[in-house]
Amino acid sequence: MSEQIHDVRLHVNGSVHEVRVPARRLLSDALRHDCGLTGTHVGCEHGVCGACTVLVDGAPMRSCLMLAVSAVDAEITTVEGLTEDDGTPQGRLSPVQQAFSDCHGLQCGFCTPGFLTTITAGLEENPDPTEDEAREMIAGNLCRCTGYQNIVKSVLRAAEINAEADAKSKADAGQERA
Amino acid sequence: MTTKLFGTKVARVEDQRFLRGQGRYVDDLLHDDPRLLHAAVLRSPHAHARITDIDVSDVLDVEGVVAVWTHDDLTDAMAEPLPLLIPHPTLTHGRTQYALAKDEVNHVGEAIAFVVAVDRYVAEDAVARIRVTYEHLEPVVGIDAARAATRLVHDDVPGNVGARMEQENGDARAAIADAPHTLVLDLDIERSACTPMEGRGTVARWDPDTSRLTVWSSTQTSTGVRGCVAAKLGLDLAKVDVITPDVGGGFGVKVVHPWPEELLVPLAAKTLGRPVKFTEDRREHFISSAHERAQQHHVEVGFDDAGRVLGLNVEFWHDHGAYTPYGLIVPIITSTQLLGPYKPLNYRVVFESLYTNTVIVTPYRGAGRPQGCFVMERTMDAIAAYLGKDRTEVRSANFIQPDEFPYEHGLIFQDGRELTYDSGDYPASLEKLKALVGWDDFEDFRAEMAAQGRRVGIGLACYVEGTGVGPYEGAHVHVETSGKVKVATGLTTQGQGHQTAFAQIVADTLGVRFEDVEITTGDTRKMPYAVGTFASRAAVMSGSAIHLAALRAKEKALRIAAEALEAAEEDLEIVDGVVSVRGTDASIDLGTVAVLSNPLRYAFDEASKAATQFSVGDPGKPPVAEDDEPGLEGKDFYSPPRSTFANGMHAVIVETDPDTAEITILKYAVVHDCGHLINPMIVEGQIHGGVAQGVGGALYERMAYDESGQLLNASFMDFLMPYASEVPTSIDIDHLETPSPLNPLGIKGAGEAGVIPSAAVFAAAIEDAEGFPITAMPISPSELYALRLSHADPEETS
Ligand code: FES
Ligand code: FES
């Protein structure tokens, strides 16, 4: 009994990964074990916990519910791809990542990558959520450590950081014009 | 002067790697090692059966399968039952499972065969090809069936009773018989479980070049796993290293060891000469790790007109599942911590710990306390209702008073020591809680809501939690010549921010910069003597040990610096890693002191040149004095005489929908006393998380076993763990800091506090809203609805 192996090209965080996988290999496993991007975590493998959430063409998707072979043409972003380039090898924490650190939005960190990707996409859609909307934004992800209060705060804080950055870049642009 | 970090909200150092996706959890390890093999386990589909045959002949045909083990393939100690970790004289019929089932299975999920293959998919394919012939036996499911004992889980355990234990202080039954008022209550609590987001996992690698075994496990006790692996595999302890990497939550379940896979993975790695990994999936976590909570209680209480408890007699039945690897810890804690902040004049407790054909029961955050708290607080509420008194008044009448500490209960606690509370101020806590939740204004609020056709209720619950149990923890502090400080403590971490809290302690005690401190936990190579993380003990035990070890390093630093600076030790201070003579410019870096502490023959860098034999020391004396050691290090252990007792009180206001019986949380308030707080942000995070688990346990989570012993909700689709939409939107927290006199930092544990009073506080609030007794938890809207019907006035419903 041998399985048919597929050569798959995955575009992840701006890099191309050539992997050889059987058709049944989950995207979550391909990312973790074939691409070596272990930041994406697996908490249930049945689509309920959200820990494995990655951005597929910008939209949050549960990578445990996708097959690697079905992700060929997509641009995938994992938690490792959220940091922003600031010239340092590590990169700078994105507003959402920074907000989690500011608000103690994580404890064991296992659920965190799924929240970070979910919120990153959520704030694209709704940059200025109310507290209820922030809660709604994360209501499909499970966390067993934090009780969620600080994650809701992190969503609001991330929106604030984004707004501050926007205001600053507008002001800078204004100054340049002047 | 460096600002003191102890007591401040220092941002966590571990966040950086977790937020960047650079945490290293056990399933992340060795992923790029092409030789890595993956394991899968065949688990029993039946709750109770005899195994008459296991046929693995089809398995090795599967391409990519490397090996398969059943019990027949195990030898020596591996073929014996797993250890009974915590024996107790009253555990007369303790039983443990085998690493792989021998002849009989006793719960759905019990491990039967172990397959190792090139990947997990293939290993699972192979598992599906193993053919087992079973002879079915009738299962025992639930406490009623276990007590009835018409069927037995283990043939040689009569009545399904693993243990019967009784403790008494005074003569409770006589006191109840003589009391002016008496009440009887029957109370029930169902099963729940830790369900950390990361399941169990083990990776092992055998190094043939050095004949050493390295095991990585998501365990809460790496030293415990090390001892078990060495004993079971017949290896010298010195040949086994166990490392606990980042762990995705534990909450108790990962303190159990060795899990079958924790032995089988190292066995396979050693046998096959290739690294092997086992990562549990979610269904496996439900059916083959551990649960907790299920108990039935029968309470008799006698009290006076003030509600003062004169006699309390509690009998309870504890469902411990199919085996007893963790002994009687959970029911012993229930039986002793049930007393909470109260001092009944006479107390008797007796429990039976019972076998059922279900998953084993071992501590889950709170570890028996939520049940005890539920029972005591339901009793307090029942007394108040009977006497027509305010519920806080009855509690006040029974509180241990601040001047009564240390308070001896006359019972033996889970650590085998006297149950003696060290400190607390319960009346002050209650006042804070009443103010925080608005207890005295609640009737106005109730009337206001009633006018809108809404139904609300308020409840409170108090608890005392023995934390920081022994026997000990240790720490090693090493100042490197760079001035960086490397600290090791043996217990493990599962997200509590130990690397931050412990570094705060070191920075303060030693006088170094927080950024220069690096903490390692759970690595037996760095600290082979340790116990583990459970019972809210990490901060108390390792925090204290780290403080003591840092003091030793500091003492040595001052001694060497005094000599170098030609000053008296008393005149020196260490600030931000620099030792200086107070009031002068004379100073020396701690890194240089480290250089001086280690007389060298060879110079390997600029700093070490200063320490070579031709540069330092009195040529008339040995380079290392007789009672000294090279290096700027400090090592110490902390071993307290007994536990320290944290306490707290929660109150909740709920709304129950008059039509649908849906239960909504309107306000949640916590008053918490865990002594001095190392990092208030982390403590509050622990409370938030505990409360969320408590809400789950009170309103949503249960293990739905059917009568054949199948767990019907073994997935996150069916086991209702709270999402953000189910927990209180905010939690009002107030702290009281009654320091513990038992440790140098005056701290008490905080890890379990949030979850302990949940069942009690929700039952109280729902009862208050509805006007009929709530005696069983958890409670769902449909159960509340059914209760409404059964309590409805027959005239009204007809
Ligand atoms: S692992 Fe994908 S949703 Fe849980
Ligand atoms: S931080 Fe541990 S599961 Fe969310």
Side-chain angles (χ1 to χ4, degrees), chain B residues 49-52 54 71-72 98 100-105 137:
Chain B
R50 247 184 274 289
I51 297 172
T52 53
I54 305 178
H71 187 272
D72 278 351
Y98 293 86
L100 292 169
K102 179 177 191 283
D103 307 334
E104 188 176 326
V105 282
L137 301 167

Side-chain angles (χ1 to χ4, degrees), chain A residues 28 41-53 61-65 110 140 142, chain B residues 197 282 716:
Chain A
S28 50
H41 296 157
V42 168
C44 68
E45 284 184 304
H46 46 252
V48 182
C49 75
C52 66
T53 307
M61 302 284 266
R62 311 219 146 172
S63 60
C64 74
L65 295 184
F110 199 79
L142 284 172
Chain B
M197 293 305 298
R282 186 50 58 185
F716 279 160

Side-chain angles (χ1 to χ4, degrees), chain B residues 13 220 323 402 588 734:
Chain B
V13 284
Q220 290 174 227
Y323 301 103
I588 180 171
D734 199 354

Side-chain angles (χ1 to χ4, degrees), chain A residues 2 24 26 29 32 36 38 41 43 46 48 90-91 97 104 107-110 135 139 144-149, chain B residues 12 19-20 24-25 27-28 63 121 125 193-195 282 364 495 685 688-689 693 701 716 721-723 728-729:
Chain A
S2 83
R24 63 176 170 171
L26 300 177
D29 284 337
R32 290 179 47 73
T38 54
H41 296 157
H46 46 252
V48 182
Q90 280 279 347
Q97 290 169 315
H104 190 28
Q107 291 184 23
C108 76
F110 199 79
R135 191 167 300 112
R144 195 54 158 173
C145 298
T146 64
Y148 305 104
Q149 290 87 3
Chain B
R12 303 195 329 162
L19 289 170
R20 292 168 188 274
R24 279 293 170 271
Y25 303 83
D27 188 55
D28 303 341
E63 191 182 313
Y121 294 69
D125 290 346
C194 303
T195 51
R282 186 50 58 185
Y364 161 29
H688 289 172
Q693 280 183 319
E701 297 168 8
F716 279 160
M721 216 158 100
Y723 285 96
T729 53

Side-chain angles (χ1 to χ4, degrees), chain A residues 1-3 22 24-27 29-30 32-33 35-46 48-49 51 62 79-80 82-83 90-93 96-98 100-113 116 131-132 135 138-150 152-153, chain B residues 11-12 14-16 18-25 27-28 31 38 61-63 119 121-122 125 129 192-199 247-249 251 277 281-283 364-365 494-496 681-682 685-686 688-690 692-693 696 701 714-717 719 721-725 727-731:
Chain A
M1 188 180 83
S2 83
E3 279 184 284
R24 63 176 170 171
R25 192 139 179 100
L26 300 177
L27 177 59
D29 284 337
R32 290 179 47 73
H33 303 300
C35 303
L37 294 166
T38 54
T40 298
H41 296 157
V42 168
C44 68
E45 284 184 304
H46 46 252
V48 182
C49 75
R62 311 219 146 172
V79 63
E80 290 94 338
L82 294 183
T83 41
Q90 280 279 347
R92 177 181 51 225
L93 293 183
V96 179
Q97 290 169 315
Q98 185 58 47
F100 267 68
S101 172
D102 293 350
C103 302
H104 190 28
L106 69 160
Q107 291 184 23
C108 76
F110 199 79
C111 68
T112 311
L116 296 174
E131 190 186 314
D132 281 344
R135 191 167 300 112
I138 60 158
N141 288 51
L142 284 172
C143 170
R144 195 54 158 173
C145 298
T146 64
Y148 305 104
Q149 290 87 3
N150 288 347
V152 173
K153 277 189 203 151
Chain B
R12 303 195 329 162
E14 36 283 87
D15 289 357
Q16 284 295 327
F18 292 160
L19 289 170
R20 292 168 188 274
Q22 293 168 348
R24 279 293 170 271
Y25 303 83
D27 188 55
D28 303 341
H31 65 81
H38 298 261
D61 297 345
V62 180
E63 191 182 313
D119 74 26
Y121 294 69
V122 175
D125 290 346
R129 293 177 149 229
S192 185
C194 303
T195 51
M197 293 305 298
E198 178 206 38
V247 175
F251 314 113
K277 178 184 284 183
D281 70 23
R282 186 50 58 185
R283 177 172 164 77
Y364 161 29
R365 197 177 203 171
Q494 301 82 33
Q496 303 92 328
M681 178 188 83
I682 290 177
Q686 287 291 317
H688 289 172
Q693 280 183 319
E701 297 168 8
S715 85
F716 279 160
M717 270 174 283
F719 177 83
M721 216 158 100
Y723 285 96
S725 38
V727 301
T729 53
S730 72
I731 300 172

